[in-house]
């Protein structure tokens, strides 16, 4: 069934990536339109109440906010990637919300201008990760064997953790064994691997260079 789904995206946006992962998991065809966030087109500013991506266009309507987009995509393409039990579902939603703050924290660590500033941000992020470590299943995924929307929400964070580790030896998951198991299970999945543009790593490195990240400064 054609759902006529278009995502408005920015090539490096982890929030859009969540929706791409969900669409790939569900095997739903979609179109993706990339914009330059430093030069937002007028048509995008007309569409997007927050001026942020992702924006989903379907049936002449616009939906924004990645967690909401993912719930919508999930509802129109059963079976659901949310648990049925209302309490467990509420907890999953809470972790999805929480994972947005992980992305923010990671951004602050990555774009800190020096090691001291990065370490301060890293401390805060590590505290959050300790909570997540206690809440994840025995693996491989957040809730066990079955992929859920929490996995889609957290995978972009894990992908960036992996990139920072491989390029700069900065591993924020160090010591969190459950999170590590979860990370490798997610990074092995096709829906996650194919959720970014082919030159994602090169573009990310360019952005870190342009932002004069402490990791880049120290690697020279
Ligand atoms: N809460 C939003 C966050 C989206 C977001 O921050 N997107 C960034 C790109 S990764 C953006 O569009 N920033 C543009 C801006 O803030 O002007 C969501 O989950 O969709």
């Amino acid at each position: 069934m054609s759902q006529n789904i278009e995502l408005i995206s920015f090539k490096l946006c982890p929030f859009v990536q969540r929706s791409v992962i969900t669409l790939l998991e569900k095997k739903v065809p979609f179109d993706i339109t990339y914009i330059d966030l430093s030069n937002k087109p007028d048509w995008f500013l007309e569409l997007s109440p927050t001026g942020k991506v992702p924006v989903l266009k379907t049936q002449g309507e616009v939906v924004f906010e990645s967690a909401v987009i993912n719930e919508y995509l999930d509802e129109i393409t059963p079976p659901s990637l949310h648990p049925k039990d209302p309490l467990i579902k509420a907890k999953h939603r809470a972790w999805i919300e929480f994972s947005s703050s992980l992305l923010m924290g990671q951004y602050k660590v990555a774009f800190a201008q020096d090691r001291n500033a990065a370490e301060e941000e890293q401390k805060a992020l590590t505290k959050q990760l300790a909570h997540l470590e206690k809440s994840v299943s025995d693996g491989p995924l957040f809730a066990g064997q079955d992929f859920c929307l929490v996995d889609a929400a957290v995978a972009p964070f894990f992908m960036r953790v992996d990139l920072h580790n491989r390029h700069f030896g900065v591993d924020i998951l160090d010591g969190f064994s459950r999170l590590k198991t979860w990370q490798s299970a997610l990074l092995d999945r096709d829906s996650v691997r194919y959720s970014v543009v082919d030159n994602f790593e090169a573009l990310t490195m360019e952005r870190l260079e342009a932002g004069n990240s402490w990791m880049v400064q120290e690697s020279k």
Side-chain angles (χ1 to χ4, degrees):
M1 175 178 43
S2 168
Q3 313 274 1
N4 278 327
I5 284 169
E6 179 185 0
L7 278 179
I8 314 297
S9 179
F10 165 65
K11 285 183 181 166
L12 297 181
C13 177
F15 298 97
V16 187
Q17 198 186 341
R18 295 165 154 185
S19 302
V20 173
I21 292 169
T22 304
L23 286 160
L24 293 176
E25 281 290 332
K26 298 264 186 168
K27 301 192 172 27
V28 176
F30 62 97
D31 292 318
I32 191 157
T33 303
Y34 296 104
I35 60 163
D36 176 3
L37 283 178
S38 59
N39 185 17
K40 295 174 188 169
D42 289 342
W43 61 261
F44 171 72
L45 292 170
E46 274 300 304
L47 276 187
S48 169
T50 58
K52 294 182 181 186
V53 292
V55 166
L56 171 82
K57 282 170 72 183
T58 189
Q59 301 172 46
E61 302 285 346
V62 160
V63 185
F64 56 100
E65 285 297 328
S66 61
V68 178
I69 292 172
N70 273 9
E71 293 226 348
Y72 169 73
L73 293 173
D74 187 50
E75 280 183 32
I76 60 167
T77 56
S80 176
L81 297 177
H82 252 329
K84 282 202 174 62
D85 180 273
L87 180 57
I88 302 176
K89 193 196 286 188
K91 290 175 70 177
H92 278 222
R93 288 184 169 133
W95 285 115
I96 289 169
E97 179 69 27
F98 182 88
S99 70
S100 294
S101 67
L102 294 180
L103 285 168
M104 303 296 182
Q106 179 175 55
Y107 183 89
K108 289 182 188 164
V109 172
F111 286 93
Q113 297 294 294
D114 57 55
R115 178 174 280 268
N116 282 347
E119 279 175 359
E120 277 308 301
E121 299 295 350
Q122 223 158 329
K123 264 190 225 156
L125 194 49
T126 303
K127 278 189 194 153
Q128 288 183 297
L129 291 171
H131 283 284
L132 193 54
E133 171 84 0
K134 281 189 277 174
S135 301
V136 66
S137 73
D138 290 340
L141 298 169
F142 177 72
Q145 294 296 329
D146 295 332
F147 188 91
C148 66
L149 288 182
V150 182
D151 294 300
V154 178
F157 169 77
F158 282 153
M159 188 181 269
R160 284 153 184 79
V161 170
D162 173 63
L163 190 148
H164 297 160
N165 191 15
R166 281 184 292 105
H167 288 271
F168 306 109
V170 175
D171 188 7
I172 185 80
L173 296 186
D174 205 19
F176 294 118
S177 61
R178 282 167 176 260
L179 297 184
K180 287 260 189 197
T181 304
W182 184 17
Q183 178 192 36
S184 54
L186 282 178
L187 296 189
D188 274 351
R189 269 182 110 82
D190 281 353
S191 62
V192 175
R193 291 172 51 209
Y194 298 117
S195 60
V196 288
V197 289
D198 289 347
N199 57 347
F200 173 77
E201 294 226 357
L203 291 176
T204 303
M205 294 298 282
E206 266 174 38
R207 194 139 183 257
L208 289 166
E209 292 259 0
N212 198 28
S213 161
W214 67 286
M215 294 189 291
V216 175
Q217 293 167 30
E218 290 194 6
S219 67
K220 283 183 175 158

